[in-house]
Amino acid sequence: MKAIYDVLAPAKLNLFLHLTGRRPDGYHLLQSVFMLVDWCDTLHFELRSDGQIQREDLNVTLPADDLIVRAARLLQQTGHTSLGAHISVHKSIPAQAGMGGGSSDAASTLLALNRLWKLKLSTEQLCALALQLGADVPFFIRGRNAWVEGIGDIIRPLETTAQCPTGRFIIVKPQTGLETAKIFSAPELKRDKKPATIAGFAADHYHFGENDLQPVAQRLCPEVTQALEWLELQGLNPRMTGSGSAVFAHIPEQHESKLDLASAPGTWQIKQCSNMEVHPLLGWATSDKSSVGV
């Protein structure tokens, strides 16, 4: 195998996000449901024999030492391989959106290079590496919609449609982005939410709970409020995902044709998505022999 093309890296939405506490080291304790959606970046991997990690940005210029490069180097070092890779990246997921685009790219890089370099690392081994890159990365490695707790490291898959039913969503990314660190360092941020249960979530999937980061985000970025209000005018029940600035809403059946997309500001990115039952690369860390674009 000399190359793997058209490797997808899907975005995620936080159906709710509660902060239940804060550890002495400053990390926040949370509860959330992470859900995969079919808004994806696309990566291509070509084998290099000289050990070099080279990244080519096809449409958006990324930082030189981004999570893709860091993931590749970490896997290279851990796997004790002399092989390298040329990685081409086509970005679709917006940055500073709370949709996990960078984390998803890192996870897909670990999964693809694990296969391309024939390292045969397990899911658990890759998750251990993923956690060194960011709290969201292990979720994408595990590859299923999940109930997430702790600092993002406790991941419980939601494996049935009853736990996470199929749905359509509209996602709005305002022009202005938000830095996660500014949200979590805000003095007014509430961190004392009563712990929720999966049963409580399952009783009202798309209206359960709230995003505890949203009030701070609205103060820092008025466009978040504008996007929420625009979705409300569409007759939907919106909320922010992650630390923003993207907001989203579940689209009830038969409601999609009623959306007035032309009334939104032209600077916003708007996409109608479906959720995904599993990650496109699920099984790539095991003996699964399926392949995509090889």
Side-chain angles (χ1 to χ4, degrees), residues 104-230:
S104 187
D105 291 343
S108 288
T109 295
L110 291 175
L111 289 163
L113 292 181
N114 184 49
R115 171 167 286 199
L116 187 63
W117 291 340
K118 300 180 180 179
L119 299 178
K120 300 181 180 180
L121 297 186
S122 68
T123 297
E124 293 303 324
Q125 288 173 308
L126 289 178
C127 281
L129 297 180
L131 193 57
Q132 297 179 46
L133 298 166
D136 289 353
V137 185
F139 159 73
F140 292 103
I141 293 288
R142 294 194 180 278
R144 292 186 182 275
N145 300 319
W147 179 273
V148 179
E149 295 184 290
I151 61 171
D153 57 332
I154 302 172
I155 303 171
R156 188 181 309 177
L158 302 176
E159 297 182 350
T160 68
T161 54
Q163 291 178 315
C164 193
T166 301
R168 291 282 291 167
F169 301 83
I170 182 169
I171 305 172
V172 178
K173 170 58 175 69
Q175 184 176 30
T176 306
L178 279 167
E179 295 181 18
T180 301
K182 288 185 177 181
I183 302 288
F184 279 101
S185 62
E188 73 267 32
L189 186 63
K190 302 295 184 182
R191 304 174 175 92
D192 57 356
K193 185 78 74 180
K194 181 180 178 180
T197 65
I198 293 180
F201 162 74
D204 194 15
H205 300 92
Y206 302 131
H207 300 91
F208 178 82
E210 55 198 343
N211 186 335
D212 288 340
L213 307 183
Q214 185 173 305
V216 175
Q218 289 182 255
R219 177 180 64 79
L220 294 174
C221 179
E223 270 197 291
V224 171
T225 300
Q226 295 168 17
L228 290 166
E229 291 175 346
W230 181 79

Side-chain angles (χ1 to χ4, degrees), residues 6 17 33 37 49 58-59 67 78 97 103 105 110 137 144 150 162 177 199 214 216 220 237 282:
D6 301 321
L17 199 165
V33 164
V37 293
S49 59
L58 299 179
N59 66 326
L67 281 176
T78 302
S103 295
D105 291 343
L110 291 175
V137 185
R144 292 186 182 275
Q214 185 173 305
V216 175
L220 294 174
N237 181 29
L282 182 68

Side-chain angles (χ1 to χ4, degrees), residues 266-280:
T267 55
W268 291 357
Q269 296 182 62
I270 301 177
K271 189 173 179 66
Q272 296 171 68
C273 298
S274 297
N275 57 359
M276 307 173 74
E277 184 176 350
V278 298
H279 194 288

Side-chain angles (χ1 to χ4, degrees), residues 7 9-11 39-44 55-63 66-68 87-97 99-106 109 269:
V7 174
W39 192 343
C40 302
D41 292 340
T42 306
L43 295 84
H44 313 282
R55 195 196 69 228
E56 179 183 0
D57 300 333
L58 299 179
N59 66 326
V60 175
T61 301
L62 300 174
D66 78 327
L67 281 176
I68 294 170
I87 308 171
S88 303
V89 185
H90 187 279
K91 288 290 294 182
S92 294
I93 304 170
Q96 293 190 334
M99 297 169 62
S103 295
S104 187
D105 291 343
T109 295
Q269 296 182 62

